[in-house]
Amino acid sequence: VQVAMNIFSKYRFFPKFFGTPEQVHRLIQFLSKVQAGYHRENHYHNHIHAADVLQTVHWMINKSGIANKITDTDCLGILLAAIVHDYDHPGVNNAFLVNTRDDIALHFNDQSV
């Protein structure tokens, strides 16, 4: 949560997207729920990985010069995608889920689990 709030501040997303205390509160609630959806027992795809990817994407946006070519809305979307990219990741790959007949593999008919 703190990494996202600091990076969002650097982009001056406050107050453009989160201008009221209620909007900031809802953002913090959202980020907290996303963080809770990253399983601590997952040794790689956990909330620390999400923060690392967010920081890396932030660095890439700035070092590549793309920040000057995209809108603030696009930038916010890219950063949010970095935050949620492995949300609820089970810590195993598709083949494992298919071979163990996991519910998610069955739900998606073994396609792009």
Side-chain angles (χ1 to χ4, degrees):
V1 174
Q2 192 61 47
V3 173
M5 296 298 282
N6 287 339
I7 289 175
F8 287 6
S9 291
K10 291 181 185 298
Y11 287 95
R12 295 189 170 101
F13 290 161
F14 308 102
K16 182 168 186 168
F17 296 111
F18 312 104
T20 67
E22 174 62 25
Q23 290 170 326
V24 172
H25 176 73
R26 291 180 74 186
L27 173 62
I28 292 169
Q29 285 181 315
F30 169 76
L31 294 171
S32 296
K33 286 182 180 185
V34 170
Q35 182 173 330
Y38 278 91
H39 308 289
R40 290 188 182 275
E41 66 276 3
N42 188 327
H43 297 290
Y44 184 76
H45 294 102
N46 54 39
H47 70 284
I48 295 169
H49 171 67
D52 180 49
V53 171
L54 173 61
Q55 173 63 30
T56 301
V57 170
H58 161 62
W59 181 86
M60 291 171 68
I61 287 170
N62 284 283
K63 293 297 179 183
S64 70
I66 197 172
N68 300 320
K69 297 178 171 99
I70 61 175
T71 67
D72 287 345
T73 303
D74 292 335
C75 188
L76 176 60
I78 292 167
L79 295 171
L80 286 172
I83 293 168
V84 303
H85 80 281
D86 276 330
Y87 178 83
D88 201 27
H89 194 294
V92 295
N93 64 19
N94 288 353
F96 180 86
L97 294 171
V98 170
N99 291 335
T100 60
R101 301 188 52 77
D102 188 272
D103 287 342
I104 195 167
L106 297 173
H107 176 78
F108 289 103
N109 197 26
D110 300 337
Q111 303 293 317
S112 299
V113 178

